[in-house]
Amino acid sequence: MSTPNRPAVAAGGTRAALIGRGLRKDYPGTHALAWAPADELVVAAGEIHALVGENGAGKSTLMAIVAGLTAPSGGTLELAGEPYAPASIAEASRRGVGIVTQEAGLVGALTVAENFFIGRAAEDATAGVVRRRRAGAIVRQALAGFAPHVSPRALASALSLEDQKLVELARAVHFSPRLLLVDEMSAVLSGPRLARLFEVLREQRAAGVAVLYISHYLEEVRELCDRVTVLKDGRLVTTRDAAATSERELTTLMVGRETAEHLYRSDRVAHTGGDVVLRVERLTRPGAYRDVSFAVRRGEILGIGGLVGCGSDPLARTLFGALKPASGTMELGGAPYRPRSPREAIARRVAYVPPDRDAEGLLLRTPIAANVTLAVLPRLARLGLYAGVREPRLARTLIDELAIRCRGAADVPLNLSGGNRQKVVLAKWLLSEADLFLLHNPTRGIDVGAKAELYALMRRLAAEGAAVVLLSDELPELIGMSDRILLLRRGALAYEASREQAPSEEQLITHMV
Amino acid sequence: MTTTSTIDDATAAPELAPAGALASALRRRTSRAALSRLLPLTGLVGLVLFYWIAAGDRFMSFDNWRNLVQQAAVVAIVGFGLTFVIVAGSIDLSVGSVAALAGMVAAGVATPHGALLGVLAGIAVGGACGLVNGFVFAVLKVPSFIVTLGMLSIARGLTLVYSHTAPKPVFGTFEALGGEPGIYWVLLGALLLAFALFNATTFGRYTRAIGGDERVSRLSGVPVTRMKVAIFCFGGLMAGLGGVVLSARLGIATPQAGTGFELTAIAAVVLGGTPLTGGIGNVWNTVIGALIIQVLNNGLVILSVAPEVQQIIQGAILIVAVLVALERRKIGHIK
């Protein structure tokens, strides 16, 4: 549901630097952005405009489109009054759009100075020949107000993440953009650096630059920004004056929705009475998570949530043997559990559905039949011999059971839609007859119909006595499916709630940020 | 919803597309795949027909074909091992030198200790080289290109050292391996072994999985490191067998044996339809590829094409064959 977007009068300037209308970004079976044709985002020159929303609301997709990283499936963009459809970041940069991304934006193998002028020949070279000293001087001057301790000759990979982001900011500002995109920078900066960031942004605003700022931290948004636009589920909700809107109102705008409760579970009872399947004590891995302790029982669905970088991803991989903890213990079925590889975890009846099914969950060009038996080959083979006689039948049974839409067991996942690919991944783990299922964002990028089927499958697994750990970015999913919810923040456990307590999304968010 | 992979974006069959469009898209895709599978065999048949027409009885005689198949046999045997390495996504440039070393050691051991021990020693030496290749690649994580390039020189050097740069003759039962019907039995045996290993064991399955995607394989319980070592070891064993058969066929093991052989073996695997990118392929392809190379060379010689021109043609055929069969969209970046 979206209300018609009527932007309030911009503070400072009235000239629009960026106008985005009716933007859409589609992927097979789902969408990342789906604005109504009349929905409009107006970022004025000389304002700091915040973009807020949950994971999956479309913020980064919008940034990617404006920065030239990807093209929209529909809608239009206008930059300083001219139509704007950049084919690449380089073109966006030439048109005056600077960006500091959420992920690494520097090429690790190049020096700071070389990174500065990537995609822009002019300043550091004469007729294609690089002038190192001149480049160095320019870069040193550009870095002066941001990270004066960083040398232009330093390798980008040798810098801390904080310094890398500062270099990216210095670079973006150096080329005098008319629109500056800043994606989640405050997550990596602290103390005086953060204050300096705010200073820089205010300076840019005073100079007439339009700043589009993404952040999860609502008090920061209200302190720094003039206006704030809320995105939710790929839709544009509204644009408000930042000072005039309370954090509570913003949160409600971000998450308030008609919960599709029928998708998840109909019971309100927490199934937490079974035997302990997995017990984790004080698990620590520097830089990822610390002092994490919890237990999962038979028949229980344990939800684990948190912001990007909260540590849930490395934690899940540690439970599956793909990463090693620095300290702490794990017990599976009462016996010590220290898997040295996923192979050992699988032998101990643990299953893991990774968040990126195409890159980690499936062999895209290998037949479905071979995909689903891969994890259990040691059990199906005899003395290393495996002619795959039973394989087509096994695959067909699973295809029927999970209603996978494909051309048969010999079809390859490359030909399937996202939802069906995910079902193939799940089929693989169903075959492993695991006692503990680690499902990481299992319904990401999947249409509603397939989602409903996957939730039903999860309920069935729990009902049959398996323990399910559901790591998810989607709050409604966590709330709807879990018997218990754990939240991680910056690597540590921050909150726990049971199903009976019926936590709301607002409550969860306050503990996540 | 922002991290759906671009593969999904570009290639997933749209469920909501009208049935007609979907059906024709599927048909296009299947025929493309079928085409690239049949291409090598078609190419071989085409070559044979061409030479038959151009050179008549000189080409299509029993004697010529006997010679041809025997020459192809050594390439094929080595190629069987190489097939596993390539399907797993790696490369082995040392097979020629390893074959030479194996042949030399076999000859050296056979003279005092008998043919059987000699043959076993040769194969074992090949396996040992493969083991070293595999260990340095999988455990020490040196890229396979570099490891095997180094092994190419090392094995060649060891051959020269072991033989004191002099050739070693072979006799008796050993020599029988290189003649008729010995060589046919060895070829058949190697083919059956490689075929069974590739299609009917977890070893073969895991090889294809690793070539398909290593990360996915590891997260699905494939013992990737162990497999890589084993695959290279097998490659070495087959190179060893090939080297033994080669010296048996020539009646003599020379330090220069198999020079440049690795390129021929790689070409055989590739021309047979196994892509260098890994993940797909089969042992049978390598037989066809080996035959294509031998038929090509054989025919050029019969037609009295100058050796220099032969080289140009061979190189051009290799490039064109891969070009036609390449499915560019599937390859992330081509190095």
Side-chain angles (χ1 to χ4, degrees):
Chain A
M1 58 169 206
S2 66
T3 51
N5 185 36
R6 287 199 184 83
V9 175
T14 50
R15 210 177 71 248
L18 176 78
I19 302 182
R21 270 191 207 92
L23 291 172
R24 302 186 59 87
K25 178 68 185 171
D26 299 320
Y27 292 103
T30 186
H31 55 256
L33 280 184
W35 294 7
D39 282 347
E40 212 175 60
L41 169 68
V42 180
V43 185
E47 87 165 328
I48 301 180
H49 194 119
L51 201 58
V52 299
E54 295 179 290
N55 288 337
K59 309 185 295 296
S60 291
T61 307
L62 179 60
M63 287 295 226
I65 291 175
V66 176
L69 277 167
T70 186
S73 312
T76 58
L77 285 169
E78 249 178 57
L79 184 67
E82 303 285 322
Y84 175 63
S88 64
I89 285 201
E91 189 185 324
S93 175
R94 283 193 293 273
R95 291 283 300 267
V97 175
I99 180 168
V100 180
T101 57
Q102 199 174 27
E103 302 92 23
L106 302 179
V107 178
L110 300 181
T111 64
V112 168
E114 287 166 343
N115 267 291
F116 232 74
F117 298 108
I118 271 187
R120 282 172 168 271
E123 281 175 79
D124 72 331
T126 315
V129 179
V130 174
R131 305 285 289 274
R132 226 178 281 278
R133 224 172 323 151
R134 184 169 74 183
I138 295 173
V139 172
R140 203 169 297 117
Q141 193 180 40
L143 289 176
F146 299 85
H149 57 284
V150 172
S151 156
R153 284 187 313 208
L155 275 183
S157 55
L159 301 179
S160 68
L161 185 56
E162 200 179 45
D163 285 338
Q164 284 187 33
K165 289 294 151 194
L166 288 171
V167 168
E168 286 180 57
L169 183 63
R171 175 175 67 179
V173 166
H174 172 79
F175 292 107
S176 303
R178 46 161 66 100
L179 174 67
L180 183 61
L181 308 173
V182 181
D183 193 348
E184 297 277 12
M185 251 195 97
S186 48
V188 297
L189 297 179
S190 49
R193 302 267 168 85
L194 192 58
R196 177 71 191 129
L197 168 67
F198 285 19
E199 243 174 66
V200 169
L201 294 181
R202 288 183 182 118
E203 283 165 16
Q204 292 293 303
R205 172 176 59 188
V209 176
V211 178
L212 190 54
Y213 186 76
I214 294 185
S215 172
H216 273 290
Y217 302 105
L218 298 180
E219 351 99 63
E220 172 182 288
V221 161
R222 298 186 67 244
E223 180 195 332
L224 177 68
C225 309
D226 304 305
R227 290 190 299 156
V228 49
T229 293
V230 181
L231 295 182
K232 182 170 73 182
D233 292 338
R235 292 184 158 71
L236 182 66
V237 178
T238 182
T239 302
R240 294 284 181 85
D241 187 78
T245 318
S246 72
E247 276 175 56
R248 188 177 171 70
E249 278 177 85
L250 280 177
T251 313
T252 311
L253 285 168
M254 277 165 64
V255 306
R257 57 166 67 78
E258 297 137 20
T259 40
E261 269 175 359
H262 59 277
L263 263 191
Y264 308 121
R265 289 162 56 168
S266 45
D267 63 309
R268 291 256 116 233
V269 180
H271 299 272
T272 51
D275 297 327
V276 172
V277 172
L278 173 74
R279 188 184 296 282
V280 171
E281 289 286 341
R282 316 207 52 173
L283 217 55
T284 302
R285 188 179 154 93
Y289 49 81
R290 63 177 190 285
D291 244 356
V292 175
S293 307
F294 62 90
V296 197
R297 297 161 190 278
R298 284 200 178 291
E300 179 180 17
I301 298 180
L302 176 69
I304 298 186
L307 298 177
V308 170
C310 65
S312 58
D313 187 284
L315 180 64
R317 285 170 203 274
T318 305
L319 297 178
F320 191 57
L323 279 182
K324 298 236 189 338
S327 66
T329 59
M330 294 189 283
E331 245 180 45
L332 191 65
Y337 176 57
R338 228 165 303 143
R340 282 172 302 173
S341 68
R343 190 172 169 81
E344 284 188 30
I346 294 172
R348 295 284 297 265
R349 308 275 166 170
V350 179
Y352 174 61
V353 172
D356 189 344
R357 57 180 165 269
D358 291 335
E360 296 185 310
L362 288 174
L363 296 173
L364 284 170
R365 296 181 181 89
T366 306
I368 293 175
N371 263 289
V372 301
T373 51
L374 191 57
V376 296
L377 273 185
R379 284 177 230 162
L380 295 175
R382 223 179 298 253
L383 290 177
L385 293 175
Y386 180 66
V389 177
R390 283 186 293 157
E391 204 171 81
R393 213 174 338 126
L394 268 173
R396 268 194 299 269
T397 313
L398 287 164
I399 289 173
D400 290 334
E401 195 179 306
L402 295 177
I404 301 177
R405 286 165 67 177
C406 61
R407 284 182 289 163
D411 200 2
V412 295
L414 193 65
N415 298 336
L416 306 183
S417 74
N420 286 300
R421 289 184 191 182
Q422 191 71 323
K423 287 184 189 177
V424 174
V425 178
L426 279 157
K428 175 168 74 174
W429 295 113
L430 277 184
L431 208 54
S432 75
E433 292 173 348
D435 295 323
L436 174 65
F437 284 84
L438 307 166
L439 309 177
H440 197 163
N441 281 326
T443 61
R444 176 186 278 170
I446 292 182
D447 60 277
V448 174
K451 273 196 191 194
E453 289 170 346
L454 290 179
Y455 293 139
L457 182 62
M458 261 184 249
R459 291 196 298 273
R460 197 191 92 193
L461 285 174
E464 286 171 1
V468 178
V469 176
L470 174 63
L471 304 109
S472 176
D473 285 344
E474 277 187 48
L475 292 182
E477 183 175 81
L478 272 183
I479 296 174
M481 289 302 290
S482 314
D483 291 299
R484 262 190 315 144
I485 296 179
L486 295 179
L487 292 182
L488 289 172
R489 179 173 59 191
R490 297 189 202 258
L493 282 174
Y495 179 72
E496 181 173 338
S498 86
R499 188 170 187 75
E500 276 118 8
Q501 288 169 273
S504 69
E505 287 183 55
E506 287 91 331
Q507 277 174 297
L508 291 185
I509 287 202
T510 49
H511 287 101
M512 277 163 62
V513 298
Chain B
M1 315 298 157
T2 56
T3 54
T4 315
S5 83
T6 48
I7 298 177
D8 222 358
D9 204 352
T11 57
E15 286 174 283
L16 307 174
L22 184 60
S24 59
L26 291 177
R27 238 179 289 124
R28 243 183 291 126
R29 215 190 304 267
T30 352
S31 62
R32 191 86 221 274
L35 183 72
S36 55
R37 268 200 301 268
L38 285 180
L39 205 60
L41 190 58
T42 317
L44 177 63
V45 170
L47 260 183
V48 170
L49 286 174
F50 173 74
Y51 284 136
W52 197 359
I53 295 172
D57 281 337
R58 283 181 298 152
F59 177 72
M60 264 322 229
S61 73
F62 185 69
D63 270 336
N64 190 42
W65 272 87
R66 200 167 57 176
N67 202 32
L68 205 152
V69 172
Q70 287 181 21
Q71 278 180 310
V74 179
V75 178
I77 291 172
V78 175
F80 293 152
L82 205 50
T83 304
F84 280 77
V85 172
I86 289 179
V87 168
S90 303
I91 194 85
D92 190 342
L93 299 175
S94 64
V95 289
S97 309
V98 171
L101 179 62
M104 188 61 73
V105 168
V109 170
T111 311
H113 300 294
L116 182 62
L117 273 178
V119 170
L120 288 177
I123 297 177
V125 161
C129 292
L131 211 58
V132 171
N133 278 338
F135 181 79
V136 178
F137 168 57
V139 180
L140 301 182
K141 307 240 194 295
V142 178
S144 61
F145 187 92
I146 301 295
V147 182
T148 57
L149 189 60
M151 178 60 78
L152 183 155
S153 298
I154 294 175
R156 185 63 61 186
L158 284 172
T159 314
L160 290 164
V161 167
Y162 179 78
S163 65
H164 303 291
T165 73
K168 287 190 201 299
V170 298
F171 317 96
T173 345
F174 193 140
E175 206 177 353
L177 271 183
E180 308 186 330
I183 196 170
Y184 300 129
W185 284 121
V186 177
L187 176 61
L188 189 64
L191 175 61
L192 288 175
L193 171 69
F195 193 79
L197 204 60
F198 196 86
N199 293 298
T201 62
T202 54
F203 183 81
R205 268 308 166 87
Y206 284 161
T207 303
R208 271 177 283 172
I210 293 172
D213 190 302
E214 205 177 299
R215 216 166 15 148
V216 174
S217 298
R218 193 169 267 122
L219 286 175
S220 303
V222 176
V224 175
T225 312
R226 235 184 300 161
M227 275 297 304
K228 285 179 172 179
V229 176
I231 290 169
F232 270 93
C233 183
F234 181 68
L237 287 170
M238 295 308 271
L241 179 61
V244 166
V245 171
L246 180 62
S247 54
R249 195 164 165 265
L250 297 176
I252 193 162
T254 62
Q256 295 79 27
T259 309
F261 195 67
E262 42 280 328
L263 296 180
T264 314
I266 293 173
V269 174
V270 169
L271 281 173
T274 301
L276 275 181
T277 43
I280 349 173
N282 210 316
V283 167
W284 184 241
N285 293 350
T286 307
V287 175
I288 295 180
L291 281 173
I292 289 178
I293 291 181
Q294 289 308 134
V295 166
L296 182 65
N297 290 346
N298 183 279
L300 288 176
V301 169
I302 287 181
L303 291 178
S304 306
V305 176
E308 316 84 71
V309 183
Q310 278 185 43
Q311 261 194 299
I312 298 175
I313 295 178
Q314 284 162 24
I317 296 262
L318 181 61
I319 294 176
V320 170
V322 174
L323 182 71
V324 171
L326 210 61
E327 282 195 58
R328 240 158 295 267
R329 262 184 336 167
K330 286 188 183 171
I331 299 177
H333 42 265
I334 304 174
K335 289 206 211 130

